[in-house]
Amino acid sequence: MTHSGNIVSRRLLLGAALAAPAIIAARAQSKPGITDDLVKAAQKDGTLSYYHNSDIGPTGLWTDAFAKRFGLQMKNMRLPSYPLFDRFLNESRVGRHLADLVQITDPTLLAYANRLGFIADYTPAGGAMIPGDLKQEGIWYGLFTDPMGIGYNSKTVTPEEEKLIQTGGWNALADPRWKGRFGTATPASGGSSYAFCYMFLVTLRAQYGKPWFSKLAANAPDIYASKAPLFERLAAGEYTLMDQGSAGTLSDYYLKGAPIRWSFPAPTPIALTSQSITKNAPHPAAARLFQEWSTTAEGQAEWLKYSIAGATRPDVVDPRHAGKLDWFKEPWFHEPTEFYTAYLKDEAFADPKKPIIAEWNEIFNYQSGKKG
Amino acid sequence: MTRALLPWLLIPLLTVLILVPVGFMFLGAFMSGALADPEAHLTLSKVAAVYTTLPFLRTLGSTLVIAFLVAIAATLGGVTMAWLTSRTDLPARPIMETCIIAPLFLSPFVGAIAWLVLGSPRAGLLNVIARAWFGTTGAVVNVATPSGIVLIMALYYLPYAYLTVAAALRNMDPSMEEAACVNGSGILGTALKVTLPVVRPALISAFFFIFVLACGTFAIPAVLDRASQVRFLAVDVFQASATYPIDYGTAAAIGTLLFWISVMGIAAYRFASRAARRFVTVTARGYRIRLVRLRWLRWPMAGLVGVYVVLSIVLPYLALVWSAFARAGGTIFAPVWTLANARGVLTSAEVAGATVNTLEVGLITPTLCVGLGLLIAYAVRRLRVPASNAIDYITMFSIAVPGIVFGTGVFWTYVLTPAYGTIAVLVLAFVAAYVPFAYRISDTALLQIDRALEEASLLCGAGNGRTLLRITLPLARPALLSAWIMVFIFAVREISAAVLLTSSDNVVLSVLSFNYLDFGDVPKAAVVGLLQTALLAAGVIAGRYVFRVKLSSQV
């Protein structure tokens, strides 16, 4: 596997975005997929059951906006990525079909569910605007992107250390000065953590691989079974820095006033929030309508009102980015220069046995969900 | 309802409620994958790995040690508090008593969140204050250690020991203590040589009960030990069911291991309980309680209770209020307050729905539990129906299964029924989990009711059903109401099974706070925790002042 084939230039994703108007009035664009017949059929369904792994607050507001717009009732169920997917799988296997749509951060699992016959073949009109590497046509569509970098607590680093984090690339994480000050999450915790570790252990194995992770392990990090609580502990000052720092969550803490900053070493892995319609959706028309709306500029722009993750449509730009607001105006903030998304098309990544978890556990001496 | 028919009603009911989910747990332990996975096959590998390989055996050892220490600490603390409030002239005893059982109103999960905020080694508020005021360098308090976890678990299990031992102490004839005092024994001597041996059965019963509960506890070690430095079987069960690759077989196999440990603990608990009840029945007669005078120890002992109250209630609630209302970026010395989190949570549709669901579960579960518990106790204790022993054992079975494993069994039991995904499945799971508590309290209450009253009813021509409704029920009312309140508390706080059975239609507050915390949103989890406490307090206060239920007198 070569490095070059797996790195997507930033230009590909953000170039088009910057060239587009700030936020397009999207209703006109969305109309081709959202037909009167579909809306009527969805309203006849009446309800939509949405299995997701996103933050319940923003997701609730986003789905409420959809429900109000089309006169439907939303039923959201939130669980962490893997338990959610497993629940959907078990329900599908016994023929108990409750979910209309499933949204998780590991789209390869959606592809796996498709191979099992649990995913509907549907192509929303807005899907054409989503870059090819962020979707599997007819199966799953990436809705939001979230770059992952190094997050750090600005109150607990010296200026020299901050410089190292900002300019030292990924090797900055391996510096022994972080011993006892570093927190990380197991790749078994979720799709984004797995994608992050996959880049270093598989795609960039020659450059980083086991020796690099061994240096991280030598810093005796606290290992979290779920990544999300790590952000809170970083903000509280329990740790100085973390890897797998999702920009969406870090910037949320920044907006709340926490002393949180971050850097995006190159290449920057992208976590992709992806969505599929289930094969036996109890409300199929409502499910199609929601996917149509989710993939329109209107639906994606609506999401940006409540959350910070980026839209996958290049014509939808975060107004904060366009207006140089919030962290975009900070002197320490630097845009990522190149993105890593190629894992999404890597068949080995989709191996449901997730073999790199075992290797990672061995490097960090982390067994049976516990430190060894 | 006749004596002969009751077993035919109770055994199938208890089988579906309790045995089938437990059976699914055992079946799952022998499967290579999820039960519905067509590629899954029968295998011994999971059980063999869990029962014979070093990582799991080490975790087993660690779990047993932690649970043992928790049970010792909570029992010693509970006995001391019970003795102080029941047998001595401790100041403000009614208030003290309420304060000691107050931790029951705080979900252990929420309490653990609070202690995470207070006692994290670097950012914990207590450590920040210690650094600023006393110039300390390391962590003064670190809850993310085995000792920290033992301490926090003991704080929240102490009320169970207190309730068990306080009831025994209240029923104890004080003449023996008086005789000891007359013969020159001091306060400590009398307590150790007279009081302690008399309440020993209750004490042993409390110890094993807490030991079993601690073995299956998931919430406290999972929240405090976010960095997985402490080995604990129930947390391994959760991780096996929540992190990739999801391994139900291992989770179930660990569940069976916990099951056997709990069965042994429960056997010891039942033995001690029987002894305790024999003792209480024999000595229960009219007497006047004469309190032990603590003299100069009166206020230091009050201070001891005060320390417990500060650690278990005051500090955690202050931490929750801090988390809920202080803006990120402020410090404990220069806080910036905000209502944004509270407003965001309290105005959200999710919280409104979860509050309604929690109330529904909180009202239906204890009602069904107490009804069923009383029926079982009446059938076993009074009617001595055929298969009484079997009914008794099956009823107590669910205590032996950790909530998180039991939740998986309940999932497979009901996934194809209309109950799945609704409030009903939570109620069924909680009734199964908590009916042992309602049963034991009902059983104790029946023991204290003179049989002659019921026999008089039967002689006058009333049937068993009418006697139960017209004679036994009114007489047992105080105990049944206190059982109702107890199960209400458990049902509102429950999280382990609720997380596994959650759906869009049955989200309860505990699951909502879990979801907030899973996203690292401690402020919103704290707001939900405070809301949950308000519901619990409202229920308990209503019980106390409307129905005159005194929780501490009936257990």
Side-chain angles (χ1 to χ4, degrees), chain A residues 55 75 78 82 86-87 91 94 96 180 188 222-224 228-229 232-233 236 238 253 256-257 352 354 369-371, chain B residues 120-123 226-227 229-231 236 239 242 244 248 328-329 415-417 420 500 502 505 515 518-520:
Chain A
D55 196 347
K75 288 189 173 183
R78 192 264 159 194
Y82 291 132
D86 207 61
R87 171 77 73 88
E91 287 176 351
V94 298
R96 190 65 202 255
D222 278 348
I223 299 165
Y224 279 61
E232 189 274 329
R233 292 289 83 197
E238 196 62 40
Y253 275 96
K256 287 175 181 167
K354 304 283 182 195
K370 293 282 165 192
K371 260 187 175 179
Chain B
S120 294
R122 297 182 195 91
R226 306 309 300 239
Q229 290 170 337
V230 180
R231 297 167 175 279
D236 276 8
Q239 290 189 357
Y244 208 87
Y248 285 122
V415 67
L416 289 175
T417 70
Y420 178 71
L500 287 168
T502 190
D505 286 331
N515 267 333
D518 190 52
F519 247 83

Side-chain angles (χ1 to χ4, degrees), chain A residues 82 106 184-198 201 213 223-225 244 354 356-361 364 366, chain B residues 243-245:
Chain A
Y82 291 132
D106 187 345
T184 188
T186 156
S189 64
S192 64
S193 294
Y194 190 79
F196 182 92
C197 296
Y198 191 86
L201 271 179
F213 267 121
I223 299 165
Y224 279 61
Q244 309 171 29
K354 304 283 182 195
I356 70 154
I357 291 174
E359 185 176 6
W360 192 94
N361 285 349
F364 284 84
Y366 185 85
Chain B
T243 56
Y244 208 87

Side-chain angles (χ1 to χ4, degrees), chain A residues 300-313:
Chain A
Q300 298 211 341
E302 185 70 29
W303 175 257
L304 290 182
K305 289 180 189 173
Y306 316 115
S307 180
I308 294 151
T312 48
R313 283 181 65 121

Side-chain angles (χ1 to χ4, degrees), chain A residues 240-290:
Chain A
T240 295
L241 79 169
M242 65 179 286
D243 60 356
Q244 309 171 29
S246 306
T249 313
L250 291 167
S251 46
D252 191 35
Y253 275 96
Y254 166 90
L255 289 176
K256 287 175 181 167
I260 288 284
R261 296 178 183 174
W262 57 95
S263 72
F264 290 122
T268 304
I270 296 284
L272 184 66
T273 299
S274 317
Q275 184 194 77
S276 290
I277 298 176
T278 65
K279 178 86 170 178
N280 296 292
H283 312 100
R288 281 183 221 120
L289 181 62
F290 188 65

Side-chain angles (χ1 to χ4, degrees), chain A residues 15 32 38 62 107 112 146 156 160 189 207 210 230 243 247 257 261 276 279 284-285 298 312 325 344 362 367 372:
Chain A
L38 181 61
W62 184 56
Y112 171 65
D146 204 358
T156 60
E160 184 207 350
S189 64
Q207 191 180 343
K210 195 172 175 179
L230 190 48
D243 60 356
R261 296 178 183 174
S276 290
K279 178 86 170 178
E298 177 197 357
T312 48
L325 303 172
L344 296 167
E362 190 190 334
Q367 291 172 344

Side-chain angles (χ1 to χ4, degrees), chain A residues 148-217:
Chain A
M148 289 179 281
I150 303 173
Y152 61 99
N153 185 309
S154 58
K155 280 189 178 171
T156 60
V157 289
T158 63
E160 184 207 350
E161 287 173 339
E162 182 165 21
K163 190 179 173 192
L164 173 68
I165 295 168
Q166 286 289 349
T167 60
W170 290 115
N171 283 324
L173 280 173
D175 194 291
R177 76 179 71 203
W178 309 124
K179 193 174 180 73
R181 299 166 69 190
F182 173 42
T184 188
T186 156
S189 64
S192 64
S193 294
Y194 190 79
F196 182 92
C197 296
Y198 191 86
M199 181 177 90
F200 295 104
L201 271 179
V202 178
T203 312
L204 304 181
R205 191 174 187 91
Q207 191 180 343
Y208 294 98
K210 195 172 175 179
W212 183 76
F213 267 121
S214 297
K215 287 179 188 167
L216 266 60

